Amino acid sequence: MKDRLKKIMEEAMEQIEASQQLDKLNEIRVVFLGKKGELTSILKSMKDVDPKERPKVGQMVNEARSQIEEKLEAKRAVFERALREEKMKRETIDVTLPGRRPVVGHRHPNTITLEEVENIFIGMGYEVVEGPEIEYDYYNFEALNIPADHPAKDEQDTFYITKDILLRTQTSSVQVHEMEKGKLPIRMIAPGRVFRSDEVDATHSPTFHQIEGLVIDKNITFADLKGTLQEFAKRLFGEETKVKFRPHHFQFTEPSAEMDVSCFKCGGKGCRFCKGSGWVEILGCGMVHPHVLEMSGIDPEEYTGFAFGVGLERIALFKYEIDDMRLLYENDTRFLKQF
Ligand code: DAH
């Protein structure tokens, strides 16, 4: 028995010493100390030992066990230290390397343009207001004199949420919210996001921005509209800018017009940006339709007004000579930092 024990001890020590990996130590532990291990089997055969000898043998087995355990533990500590050292080496930081600069964001051309437009109108005494992007059909169409089944509704491919609720196709809906408040006179602009189910290309996107304008007071005439929008164009594109109003049709204005500005690139001679015409269309406008005033509780006999709607991207693209609208939505800092 003693010899067998000695042999087991020697073998265990040798294997532990020779082991190269933490995993291997566990295997060794199982072989020698486990339930089916060598030492356990010796304990199991104690019944064959002379009873007088048993305490002594028992003690020897226990000693062997604790020696093997100690040795295993010592070896484990060696492995762990080595692993830790290796990890530290791998993770050292070279503090002398130059740092990486964090990428700093940049104001978006849309934002820059919007702020310019806002400042122009704030300077003329306008208030900047906002309205909801998710809208009732009533505010987006009905109250703007576009009844159900009217063909004008088809021109604006609408994202419907339910039969009556939709993503607004135009910021004109904010006109209605402002008029409903019942506070007159009104002199407001309403910038915001609008949605139309358009395919993405160089000039279209399912979401873009408009800036709506509305003025309602006593004795407002088409001359006020023209003067205001002409002044706006000059401040935005330069003093020498000329404007031209072309008759147009919108359901919520009568009369209606579109305004072109002389191309600030070529001064009107014709170039790539104005497609040779010398003019660029920038907004729709008109005198608020009496129906529209009435529906929102304003007496068209007493009050008149004008309204306009500008495409923000359209202005930004023109002003910054960008020829693909998609660039505005990619947020590539290499593009953005040019403005
Ligand atoms: N809402 C029109 C559109 O999306 C633009 C517009 C035209 C707004 C004339 C107006 C306006 O306020 O008077 O096409």
Side-chain angles (χ1 to χ4, degrees), residues 2-50:
K2 248 193 206 164
D3 286 349
R4 205 175 139 205
L5 207 51
K6 199 167 158 228
K7 221 176 135 243
I8 292 173
M9 276 284 287
E10 276 172 9
E11 220 173 280
M13 292 303 176
E14 211 171 282
Q15 283 192 27
I16 294 170
E17 196 52 53
S19 66
Q20 304 284 347
Q21 279 178 343
L22 212 49
D23 289 354
K24 189 74 193 161
L25 287 183
N26 286 331
E27 277 170 33
I28 297 171
R29 180 188 298 277
V30 171
V31 170
F32 291 97
L33 308 178
K35 265 191 191 141
K36 290 179 183 155
E38 307 253 9
L39 281 184
T40 319
S41 77
I42 290 193
L43 283 176
K44 276 180 188 157
S45 57
M46 282 284 260
K47 57 182 185 314
D48 306 328
V49 176
D50 178 355

Side-chain angles (χ1 to χ4, degrees), residues 50 62 68 76 121-122 136 161 198 223 227 230 238 260 298 322:
D50 178 355
N62 283 338
I68 294 173
R76 197 178 59 82
F121 283 104
I122 288 169
Y136 288 105
I161 294 172
D198 274 332
Q230 178 172 29
D260 298 346
I298 297 170
I322 303 164

Side-chain angles (χ1 to χ4, degrees), residues 156 170 172 175 196 210 212-213 250 252-253 284-286 307-309:
Q156 307 193 349
Q170 47 186 358
S172 304
Q175 292 188 26
R196 293 182 194 183
Q210 291 185 329
E212 194 73 17
F250 296 105
F252 36 90
T253 44
C285 57
F308 53 92

Side-chain angles (χ1 to χ4, degrees), residues 289-311:
H289 198 296
H291 248 152
V292 171
L293 293 173
E294 238 165 20
M295 271 187 280
S296 288
I298 297 170
D299 181 359
E301 297 294 329
E302 197 183 353
Y303 285 95
T304 51
F306 68 84
F308 53 92
V310 191

